[in-house]
Amino acid sequence: LAALSQVLRLERSRRAGIVFPLQKLERYLAPGTDTARFRLFQPGLAALQRAEALFRSDRGHAIDYVSSAVRMDHAPPPALPEVCFIGRSNVGKSSLIRALFSLAPEVEVRVSKTPGHTKKMNFFKVGKYFTLVDMPGYGYRAPQDFVEMVEAYLQERRNLKRTFLLVDGVVGLQKTDNIAVEMLEEFGIPYVMVLTKIDRASRGVLLKNVLEIQEFVKENTQGCFPQLFLVSSVEFSGVHLLRCFVAHVTGNLPTVEAS
Ligand code: GDP
């Protein structure tokens, strides 16, 4: 289901669940629950298709791993609009980036998980349109190199358009996620939360985590987009919508008409 054309062949309710997984949860909420935050970004098919074209490589449109860096002076020049992905180790970050790039199978999403190895920022270039950065994951005790590297990146990267903070859909927001939230809030960086591995969470657990995070975002954050993005890198749910949001925030979808 990596491509929309495959999703469109599914029957209607399954298709809606793959493209708009958050909205699928709406009907299990108590009547009267405010669901405005469930549909702030709800593009139509044309916008989803235009976004998908950006994530599909072809002869005139290369999608490539560019380089890795441990320090900002090793980062590629900030020439294109950029988005970055951060989250706890094991949150599903490399799987999600692989799913986003699954229509460009030549892209190698490297993972350096060897304990003790320095974690790096990995830069990917999507044609002449934008760059995507895979940031090092943080752990129970955020290692100092993570904090220093990510802090410098967030503070200095002028072309950064949006940060995607990944949260595990099975366990929800954890104390360690506060490291990232506090950093983003302190620097006034616009970000959005992405709930991963939703295929693994029961509907009850997922709803609980979604509502808890929405409440947290409402009460405690300034810079976080109020709509959560739900994804499964295994089933591709939410992946098409996320591609569209990335295309939108990097200025590559001049108009996004609603569905
Ligand atoms: P990272 O450390 O954040 O890069 O995490 P990985 O992408 O390596 O994922 C950690 C583990 O979760 C791996 O065993 C993945 O197979 C699994 N995983 C990641 N995404 C999903 C998902 O969407 N669904 C399911 N069921 N498992 C996932």
Side-chain angles (χ1 to χ4, degrees), residues 33-154:
T33 309
D34 180 11
T35 55
R37 291 164 171 249
F38 279 57
R39 19 179 100 235
L40 297 170
F41 183 74
Q42 191 182 13
L45 185 59
L48 289 163
Q49 282 168 331
R50 282 205 306 279
E52 180 170 295
L54 290 177
F55 283 88
R56 187 187 294 282
S57 57
D58 61 35
R59 242 178 298 146
H61 176 58
I63 304 179
D64 285 325
Y65 159 80
V66 182
S67 62
S68 298
V70 288
R71 298 204 325 247
M72 280 311 286
D73 50 351
H74 294 165
L80 295 173
E82 190 160 279
V83 291
C84 79
F85 284 68
I86 65 174
R88 280 192 307 133
S89 314
N90 252 6
V91 74
K93 188 158 52 63
S94 15
S95 305
L96 178 59
I97 295 174
R98 244 181 252 122
L100 289 169
F101 285 143
S102 55
L103 303 172
E106 69 281 12
V107 177
E108 197 189 324
V109 180
R110 296 164 188 222
V111 275
S112 67
K113 291 205 168 157
T114 330
H117 263 228
T118 313
K119 293 176 179 155
K120 295 177 176 159
M121 309 181 260
N122 298 313
F123 292 81
F124 300 89
K125 192 171 168 199
V126 178
K128 52 184 192 303
Y129 300 101
F130 63 92
T131 40
L132 185 153
V133 192
D134 177 12
M135 298 298 275
Y138 47 88
Y140 292 102
R141 285 164 292 152
Q144 202 51 33
D145 57 349
F146 165 84
V147 175
E148 277 166 18
M149 200 187 307
V150 176
E151 211 168 52
Y153 172 87
L154 293 175

